[in-house]
Amino acid sequence: MKEFKNYMEQVKYSVDQMVAFNNYPSVNPDYLDNNLQAGTLQALEDGNVYQWYAVELMLNESEETERLGIFWDEDLEIYIMPVTHFGTNWIGVEPVDERERTY
């Protein structure tokens, strides 16, 4: 598993392009039906997803995209990246692993 210094470095490793998509939950109210990582699901249930991005991946899905909580939205046919921290520049945030994270 690759090690990263911060969240920004982790995102840049897997994501080629991204667009803020903060109205995603209202565009697809069935988003919980997607294949979400355990930490992402927990963050959603606890109200701890603060931003949403539509993203294009550098490569195919991998362990690194899973760690970020990136998932494929079947209905919209795009990758979605939820962000579970708020108010800190991404360079100042520790790398995440949404596969096992608990809040």
Side-chain angles (χ1 to χ4, degrees):
M1 176 166 53
K2 184 156 176 56
E3 296 297 320
F4 301 100
K5 290 184 259 179
N6 55 55
Y7 186 73
M8 175 69 84
E9 185 179 282
Q10 186 180 18
V11 170
K12 284 185 173 185
Y13 180 81
S14 295
V15 175
D16 186 34
Q17 296 183 38
M18 58 194 302
V19 175
F21 191 14
N22 288 324
N23 63 341
Y24 170 67
S26 60
V27 171
N28 183 3
D30 298 325
Y31 61 90
L32 288 175
D33 294 340
N34 290 297
N35 185 21
L36 305 175
Q37 299 302 324
T40 302
L41 184 57
Q42 184 66 46
L44 287 167
E45 290 172 353
D46 294 345
N48 293 330
V49 173
Y50 301 104
Q51 294 177 305
W52 297 90
Y53 288 90
V55 299
E56 183 177 314
L57 302 180
M58 294 283 252
L59 305 169
N60 293 327
E61 290 178 68
S62 68
E63 179 180 27
E64 301 310 327
T65 57
E66 289 177 6
R67 288 173 63 194
L68 285 167
I70 296 173
F71 62 92
W72 177 255
D73 183 292
E74 297 274 336
D75 295 335
L76 301 178
E77 297 184 350
I78 57 174
Y79 285 100
I80 299 292
M81 183 178 78
V83 177
T84 57
H85 60 272
F86 180 76
T88 304
N89 189 321
W90 289 9
I91 205 162
V93 175
E94 294 290 320
V96 299
D97 191 340
E98 295 295 347
R99 298 173 300 177
E100 302 167 1
R101 189 175 188 166
T102 58
Y103 294 87

